[in-house]
Amino acid sequence: MQRIERAVSSGGANATTEEARAELRECVAEAGSRLGDGHRATQLALYHLSVALILHTSHVAEAEAGFRRLRSIRGRAVTDRATPSLLRMHAAGLSRLGRHEEAAREYEAVGDQLGEHVDELSSAWLIVRALRAPELCHLRRFAEAEADARAIIERSVFTRAPTGLFVRWIATHALSYALTGQGRPEEAESAARQALAAMRVRQDGRGDLVFSLELSLAHALNAQGRYAEALDGVTGARQAYNPATHYDAAEVHTAGVPTAEALLGLGRHDEAAQVARDTVTALTELFSPEHACVRDARELLARATSPTAP
């Protein structure tokens, strides 16, 4: 147990160094061999290793396998305090691998199970339901995503900060994107702008959430033909995310999608094609070829390089 704690502390709160990850791999192997999968030391080492791996984009598949192994050990009893977190992390790994249908089902399953044990206004239930809404957007199930997002936003006002605010911003990001996907970009713009204004008033400095909302806004502006404004919005999104403590290199590359779309709208086809191409390359490596953002970037690349492109 002390060796596990040293590995985690040596790599920071999430064992983010390669040395720490290597140490945790050894801990998993040794504890599993000597004590078995059912021992707390094996489970603790595997959990910390999987969390560390999911934060390192080139190891997401290994992280997903680790969470799946933990699930097989611990089962799905959400009365176990650690299980909702475990299932949520597993769903996040599935999402990064582009397995959005599975991720949405995982979030829904743990939400349904939690609903049997806690009130629907509890923070654990709200978080998993809020995280499901962006997966529905990735699947282009926009009407369903809108309904879920609105329900989460309504319930979030009864949940104390910071959880209530976190789920509200996640849900609003999904709501804005879902509205654009349904051909209602003016409503999408309004939702994103209101959320960003509220974040400024509350001095909420989570750059990753500002980034997501700014990208939703850029998509809405693109859908209205306001391409120059969309480009400015993407620039602002990147600037908000760079200093953030929750910085994620893979997520940053998703900004290539609205960027390429805006450039295409401005008639800058060669630039749009290059941005789309770079986005496909980066996200294929950092997420997977099946991720929805890779799909979107590929579609933009095809449009930008089409002989019939306007």
Side-chain angles (χ1 to χ4, degrees), residues 44-68:
L44 185 63
L46 183 57
Y47 178 79
H48 281 302
L49 174 61
S50 300
V51 170
L53 291 168
I54 203 172
L55 295 172
H56 195 281
T57 50
S58 64
H59 296 305
V60 174
E62 186 182 352
E64 189 275 330
F67 287 124
R68 186 161 21 91

Side-chain angles (χ1 to χ4, degrees), residues 282-301:
L283 292 182
T284 295
E285 179 181 350
L286 296 171
F287 282 153
S288 84
E290 289 73 38
H291 196 278
C293 291
V294 177
R295 172 202 65 201
D296 295 342
R298 282 202 186 105
E299 291 175 359
L300 285 164
L301 178 59

Side-chain angles (χ1 to χ4, degrees), residues 90-274:
H90 185 217
L94 291 168
S95 176
R96 282 178 170 267
L97 292 170
R99 293 158 62 180
H100 303 296
E101 188 72 54
E102 293 176 74
R105 285 200 301 267
E106 282 297 298
Y107 284 129
E108 183 174 20
V110 68
D112 289 346
Q113 287 180 302
L114 281 168
E116 299 175 4
H117 301 283
V118 300
D119 186 272
E120 287 192 351
L121 299 180
S122 77
S123 59
W125 186 89
L126 281 172
I127 288 171
V128 295
R129 299 303 292 192
L131 291 171
R132 179 176 179 262
E135 297 304 314
L136 296 176
C137 288
H138 285 321
L139 293 166
R140 293 177 173 169
R141 289 158 57 180
F142 296 121
E144 191 177 349
E146 178 190 355
D148 266 20
R150 290 192 185 282
I152 292 301
I153 292 167
E154 180 180 343
R155 287 168 171 80
S156 70
V157 300
F158 301 104
T159 304
R160 291 186 298 179
T163 301
L165 296 175
F166 171 78
V167 298
R168 192 178 312 165
W169 307 147
I170 290 291
T172 303
H173 158 62
L175 172 63
S176 177
Y177 194 86
L179 289 169
T180 297
Q182 295 177 86
R184 295 150 63 190
E186 293 85 0
E187 293 177 65
E189 177 187 357
S190 176
R193 288 196 187 280
Q194 287 180 27
L196 287 165
M199 291 185 81
R200 285 191 290 270
V201 168
R202 296 178 180 275
Q203 297 182 330
D204 192 332
R206 279 199 60 156
D208 56 333
L209 299 181
V210 173
F211 176 84
S212 295
L213 285 164
E214 289 280 12
L215 288 199
S216 297
L217 177 58
H219 283 293
L221 293 170
N222 276 329
Q224 296 175 67
R226 293 158 61 185
Y227 303 116
E229 291 178 70
L231 278 180
D232 288 342
V234 173
T235 299
R238 290 181 184 275
Q239 291 172 343
Y241 208 166
N242 284 335
T245 56
H246 299 84
Y247 183 82
D248 185 331
E251 286 291 343
V252 170
H253 282 287
T254 63
V257 174
T259 301
E261 186 175 5
L263 290 169
L264 186 59
L266 292 168
R268 294 157 60 178
H269 296 152
D270 290 345
E271 292 175 77
Q274 189 58 54

